Amino acid sequence: MQAVIPTGARHEVDVDDIFFSTTDARGVIEQSNGVFVRMSHYAHDQLVGAPHNLIRHPEMPGGAFKVMWDTLQAGKPFTAYVRNLAANGSEYCVYATITPLADGGYLSVRMRPNREDLFETALAIYQQTRAYEDGLLTDGYNRRQAAEAGASKLAQLLASGGIPTYDDLQNFALPAEVAAHEARSSGFPYRPAARGELRAILDDVHGAYQELDAWMAQQEKLTKLADSLKQVGQRLAGELDGTNVTAETIGVLSAAGTRYASLIQPLELWMQMQGIVSSSVKRLRATLTRLESNSIDTRFRVALARLHTTMMANFTAELIDGDEYSDYSLPAISTLTSALRQGIAQMDEQTAMHARLTADTAASIAQTMSIMSIPRELLMLWQQTAGQSVLPREVAAVVPAITERIDRAGDAVSELDRLAKQCRDIRRHDSTRLLSAVRRIGERANLLAG
């Protein structure tokens, strides 16, 4: 097929134009829906059997696709803003998600970029990365080498913009894009006059969508809780670091005579317990970091399942409406169902892990509070005694700061205790009805495809 030359024209993807394609493990297109045919300006039989890079815009950096394949081959979904090139030379831009399938192939679902701020940032990074790669090609690099270097350059540009890794970008972008799409779209497609298996599938997809509503709402609460726990854990660690009492301070009090013995003893005990307290807080923060990471991953998975459910609904509506490509596309309904079932199973695993981490967090907080109770009482006793004593100037100078940090550490501990109670109240999301709806969709899809 002759290479397409970009014309500089652009055609827009409508908010409700969600489309998909599936490929084999090598990226050769196997299935698609009618919207993809319309957007790409290729005939259906030109797409099926062609490599998916048929629609790659030449100004996309090779490094972006290097990151894509590295992510997919690690068994993880990949998402990105992508400039595509249609058969007539015009450009159309999408937010694409690519999911590894159980059979070794891939499902790509695309929609209009709805977060213009993220989209413009991505385009600027792509432009810089592409220019960097072009320079390498001029210097004699081959395309594979330039793409590898481009992937590193892309990571550097993200980091300089405050985004540590590409995973961090897509973990934020996908839920944001799905939420923006849902706010702008005309809503879930209904076909009340339809009959038969397709109508039943659409009804079950709607039921699954509603169940994901509840799952997403719960996940938003869990994400906020994990974020609050991490912030309070960081604050507690900072306040405890600030109450460190040096041997020099104790030496000043000792040199002043036995009248400061009541101040020296609590400080000496505090110093002895610093290692135990610090270790406990360090373990707590590690648990909170794992909880936050799991919460972010689960939120990503829920958003992906929600997008796949929306794609399933739109595709079923296409089939009900008798899209001209329906006869070609019908078998894909089984593939979409399989991908949705696979995604929900992964969500269930993430949710189970979240429940375990939440229980570990509550236990870790209780342990930390128990360990901290004695040194905290010692510091409060020191604070009270210091306030009633005439202290050496060197010690008196640090008393207000230590007193303030003792109070703030106490506030942080109280806040952790409150959040721990929320952890203990969390119940794992029940996915029974969601799985039942997806099972029925699969059974009906197999009947239609068979």
Side-chain angles (χ1 to χ4, degrees), residues 8 54 106 128 160 176 212 218 290 411:
L54 175 74
Y106 303 99
Q128 294 177 69
S160 66
L212 284 169
Q218 183 189 46
R290 290 195 300 273
D411 291 342

Short mmCIF file of all heavy atoms in Angstrom, two decimals, residues 8 54 106 128 160 176 212 218 290 411:
data_model
loop_
_atom_site.label_atom_id
_atom_site.label_comp_id
_atom_site.label_asym_id
_atom_site.label_seq_id
_atom_site.Cartn_x
_atom_site.Cartn_y
_atom_site.Cartn_z
N GLY A 8 -1.95 18.15 6.29
CA GLY A 8 -2.08 19.23 7.26
C GLY A 8 -3.51 19.45 7.71
O GLY A 8 -3.75 20.19 8.66
N LEU A 54 -0.40 1.28 10.11
CA LEU A 54 -0.92 1.86 8.87
C LEU A 54 -1.40 3.29 9.10
O LEU A 54 -1.29 4.13 8.21
CB LEU A 54 -2.08 0.98 8.37
CG LEU A 54 -2.86 1.46 7.13
CD1 LEU A 54 -2.01 1.24 5.88
CD2 LEU A 54 -4.19 0.69 7.02
N TYR A 106 -4.27 -7.87 21.25
CA TYR A 106 -4.49 -6.61 21.95
C TYR A 106 -5.81 -5.97 21.53
O TYR A 106 -6.25 -6.10 20.38
CB TYR A 106 -3.35 -5.63 21.67
CG TYR A 106 -1.99 -6.17 22.03
CD1 TYR A 106 -1.16 -6.73 21.06
CD2 TYR A 106 -1.55 -6.17 23.35
CE1 TYR A 106 0.08 -7.25 21.39
CE2 TYR A 106 -0.32 -6.70 23.69
CZ TYR A 106 0.50 -7.23 22.71
OH TYR A 106 1.72 -7.77 23.05
N GLN A 128 9.05 17.72 21.02
CA GLN A 128 10.46 17.79 21.44
C GLN A 128 11.15 16.44 21.24
O GLN A 128 12.31 16.39 20.81
CB GLN A 128 10.53 18.21 22.91
CG GLN A 128 10.04 19.62 23.18
CD GLN A 128 10.08 19.95 24.66
OE1 GLN A 128 11.14 20.08 25.27
NE2 GLN A 128 8.90 20.09 25.27
N SER A 160 11.02 16.30 34.08
CA SER A 160 11.27 17.74 34.22
C SER A 160 9.96 18.49 34.40
O SER A 160 9.95 19.60 34.93
CB SER A 160 12.02 18.28 33.00
OG SER A 160 11.21 18.19 31.84
N ALA A 176 -9.00 10.63 34.52
CA ALA A 176 -9.38 12.00 34.19
C ALA A 176 -10.09 12.06 32.85
O ALA A 176 -11.10 12.76 32.69
CB ALA A 176 -8.14 12.90 34.18
N LEU A 212 -20.49 -0.53 37.98
CA LEU A 212 -19.20 0.15 37.96
C LEU A 212 -19.31 1.56 38.52
O LEU A 212 -18.33 2.11 39.05
CB LEU A 212 -18.64 0.18 36.54
CG LEU A 212 -18.05 -1.14 36.04
CD1 LEU A 212 -17.78 -1.09 34.55
CD2 LEU A 212 -16.77 -1.48 36.80
N GLN A 218 -16.94 4.21 45.30
CA GLN A 218 -16.21 3.69 46.46
C GLN A 218 -14.72 3.89 46.28
O GLN A 218 -14.02 4.26 47.23
CB GLN A 218 -16.52 2.21 46.67
CG GLN A 218 -15.82 1.66 47.93
CD GLN A 218 -15.93 0.15 48.04
OE1 GLN A 218 -15.70 -0.56 47.06
NE2 GLN A 218 -16.26 -0.34 49.21
N ARG A 290 2.39 1.54 50.02
CA ARG A 290 1.82 0.41 49.27
C ARG A 290 0.32 0.58 49.10
O ARG A 290 -0.23 0.28 48.03
CB ARG A 290 2.13 -0.91 49.98
CG ARG A 290 3.59 -1.32 49.94
CD ARG A 290 3.77 -2.78 50.33
NE ARG A 290 3.30 -3.06 51.68
CZ ARG A 290 4.04 -2.93 52.76
NH1 ARG A 290 5.30 -2.51 52.66
NH2 ARG A 290 3.56 -3.21 53.95
N ASP A 411 -1.23 15.85 67.43
CA ASP A 411 -2.36 16.06 66.50
C ASP A 411 -2.32 15.04 65.35
O ASP A 411 -3.36 14.53 64.94
CB ASP A 411 -2.31 17.48 65.92
CG ASP A 411 -2.63 18.54 66.97
OD1 ASP A 411 -3.21 18.19 68.02
OD2 ASP A 411 -2.27 19.71 66.74
#
